[in-house]
Amino acid sequence: MSTMEKELRVGMVGYAFMGAAHSQAWRTVNRVYDLPARARMSVICGRDESKVAEAATRLGWEAYTTDWRELITRDDVDVIDVCTPGDSHAEIAIAALEAGKHVLCEKPLANSVEEARAMVAAAVQAQAAGVRSMCGFNYRRVPAVALMRHLVESGRLGVVRHVRAAYLQDWIVDPQFPLVWRLQRDKAGSGALGDIGAHIIDLTQFVTGQRITGVSGLTETFIKERPLPSEAAGLAASADGSGTGPVTVDDAALFLARLDGGAVGTYEATRFATGRKNAVRVEVNGSLGSVAFDFERMNELEFYDATAPGTEQGFTKILVTESDHPYLSAWWPPGHIIGYEHTFTHEMRDFLEAVGTGADPTPSFVDALQVQLVMDAVTSSAEQDSAWTEVAPALAEVAA
């Protein structure tokens, strides 16, 4: 089969929130973009047979299975898409890579640096055989964020001096909200830090092209006991009145950072910002200007050009909907905005483009390991009264 005729048959593990988001993207991507590889939604996998069977029908998958180990050995699957809680990422992804399957794995890459390192090692070994891997940091695929990176990369901001990032949610403010898997360290790895902090760590390193080299961190768990859930997983779980259990992750994480290009940064990730549902904001200040992104206005950028005449200076709103803006050539006429779900379609577009042409997609597992190393340093710093903690470069580890 030639490159231009390539079909990539996808097997996805998980069918809840992320599984639904990924399914929508797999259904859509080839209807929007002309790519060197075509996705086929072959098999969806989940532990509960009745639920995964229903999900297969509802989400558009050809078949289903309850055994991910069987899934990765199937001849009708070329790609494994991992949409499970973090405690199973490493086992599934490594086994899939060793079986010769391309892998797309949701963020954060793993529940620990050790697991992430093992995943990188498997990815590097598989890469030599032409097997590709990518971590799913979908906010990179917001067109306004991609434009933000271009403005920084092309020098429009001059020397980057400040990075300011926050990811704010409030879905666990109620102390009666049950102890779902995202609040348990053995399943989630960490709390706000890994769930949403990982996104802004990746976003700022992506936009600036600079690596976080050191941090001073603070974490807090505001509600330390919660009602046990009536279901084992999912944000929709409700308490069943059978007692309480300990919350073993952080509710909020804040840290200061230095980046290797000389910039300094501030970061905040919390699920206790009452009134904030999914507020992601990143601002970069440079010697020649500034740029800011707010996900609640995801089709816009704020741009300040300090080189303009003083009488003309001020933050300008850029509506990122033109056909020559990143990703938007295949969508709607200018001014017709896009939404959250499009970020996953763009993610699958980039993955299929890379695999179809034999290139390595980004963010790679090495990129995701770098995020994991930052999170580990934040946790370590917080445990030592916010002591300054260095962050090792992931590439150096791989080279060693």
Side-chain angles (χ1 to χ4, degrees):
M1 180 179 289
S2 70
T3 298
M4 297 308 293
E5 298 170 338
K6 185 175 293 185
E7 180 181 69
L8 290 174
R9 299 160 298 179
V10 181
M12 187 176 75
V13 190
Y15 53 82
F17 170 38
M18 273 301 107
H22 281 223
S23 296
Q24 194 276 342
W26 289 122
R27 287 196 308 271
T28 304
V29 63
N30 289 118
R31 293 173 171 85
V32 177
Y33 292 101
D34 184 15
L35 298 169
R38 185 166 199 85
R40 179 172 176 175
M41 297 170 66
S42 292
V43 189
I44 187 172
C45 178
R47 289 174 296 185
D48 187 306
E49 183 166 9
S50 63
K51 290 182 178 179
V52 75
E54 184 276 331
T57 300
R58 174 170 48 86
L59 299 175
W61 294 86
E62 296 176 7
Y64 70 87
T65 180
T66 58
D67 185 354
W68 67 261
R69 292 176 179 81
E70 183 268 336
L71 177 68
I72 67 172
T73 65
R74 291 178 65 134
D75 293 334
D76 60 346
V77 170
D78 306 299
V79 175
I80 298 297
D81 183 1
V82 183
C83 295
T84 59
D87 62 332
S88 59
H89 284 190
E91 185 179 16
I92 297 172
I94 291 171
L97 289 167
E98 290 176 346
K101 312 296 186 183
H102 306 293
V103 172
L104 170 61
C105 183
E106 256 303 321
K107 51 54 62 186
L109 187 64
N111 273 9
S112 68
V113 168
E114 291 70 25
E115 288 180 346
R117 285 173 176 148
M119 294 172 75
V120 167
V124 170
Q125 184 172 356
Q127 182 184 36
V131 178
R132 312 296 173 181
S133 54
M134 188 176 91
C135 189
F137 285 100
N138 66 297
Y139 288 119
R140 284 190 178 205
R141 270 70 190 203
V142 176
V145 169
L147 178 60
M148 190 179 191
R149 173 184 167 92
H150 172 72
L151 290 171
V152 175
E153 192 174 39
S154 62
R156 295 294 300 277
L157 269 61
V159 178
V160 173
R161 292 168 174 161
H162 284 285
V163 174
R164 204 166 291 107
Y167 198 151
L168 314 176
Q169 296 179 341
D170 74 349
W171 58 273
I172 55 173
V173 166
D174 182 356
Q176 294 306 305
F177 189 90
L179 188 70
V180 295
W181 69 266
R182 290 184 188 273
L183 305 179
Q184 302 171 51
R185 182 175 295 276
D186 61 335
K187 296 181 177 65
S190 65
L193 178 60
D195 185 19
I196 55 181
H199 274 301
I200 54 175
I201 293 168
D202 179 71
L203 270 185
T204 54
Q205 293 188 137
F206 170 68
V207 166
T208 64
Q210 296 188 27
R211 179 182 64 82
I212 295 172
T213 60
V215 300
S216 172
L218 170 70
T219 60
E220 184 59 62
T221 302
F222 298 111
I223 297 176
K224 296 177 171 56
E225 290 275 334
R226 287 187 177 272
L228 296 176
S230 57
E231 297 179 30
L235 297 184
S238 58
D240 64 3
S242 62
T244 64
V247 175
T248 51
V249 299
D250 58 279
D251 287 331
L254 302 88
F255 64 95
L256 304 177
R258 287 191 180 277
L259 290 82
D260 64 359
V264 294
T266 61
Y267 294 78
E268 179 183 9
T270 179
R271 300 187 290 208
F272 271 75
T274 306
R276 297 297 185 184
K277 304 306 174 183
N278 197 53
V280 186
R281 184 172 174 85
V282 174
E283 180 172 323
V284 180
N285 308 129
S287 58
L288 301 179
S290 295
V291 63
F293 168 74
D294 186 336
F295 184 65
E296 292 182 346
R297 302 195 306 273
M298 68 170 283
N299 290 270
E300 301 174 11
L301 270 188
E302 298 174 80
F303 177 58
Y304 184 93
D305 183 359
T307 68
T311 54
E312 299 173 12
Q313 288 182 8
F315 274 94
T316 299
K317 182 185 80 173
I318 302 173
L319 186 63
V320 189
T321 60
E322 298 293 326
S323 62
D324 53 354
H325 281 143
Y327 299 107
L328 290 169
S329 61
W331 292 109
W332 319 122
H336 293 68
I337 61 176
I338 62 169
Y340 172 73
E341 72 277 12
H342 293 77
T343 66
F344 294 97
T345 303
H346 300 160
E347 182 177 299
M348 301 336 177
R349 176 214 173 274
D350 289 350
F351 183 81
L352 291 171
E353 177 75 31
V355 174
T357 58
D360 292 317
T362 58
S364 66
F365 279 15
V366 175
D367 297 325
L369 170 59
Q370 189 66 58
V371 174
Q372 204 86 39
L373 289 165
V374 173
M375 294 192 299
D376 188 65
V378 171
T379 300
S380 177
S381 173
E383 291 171 348
Q384 302 174 66
D385 294 325
S386 303
W388 188 257
T389 304
E390 300 294 328
V391 180
L395 279 175
E397 290 196 6
V398 174

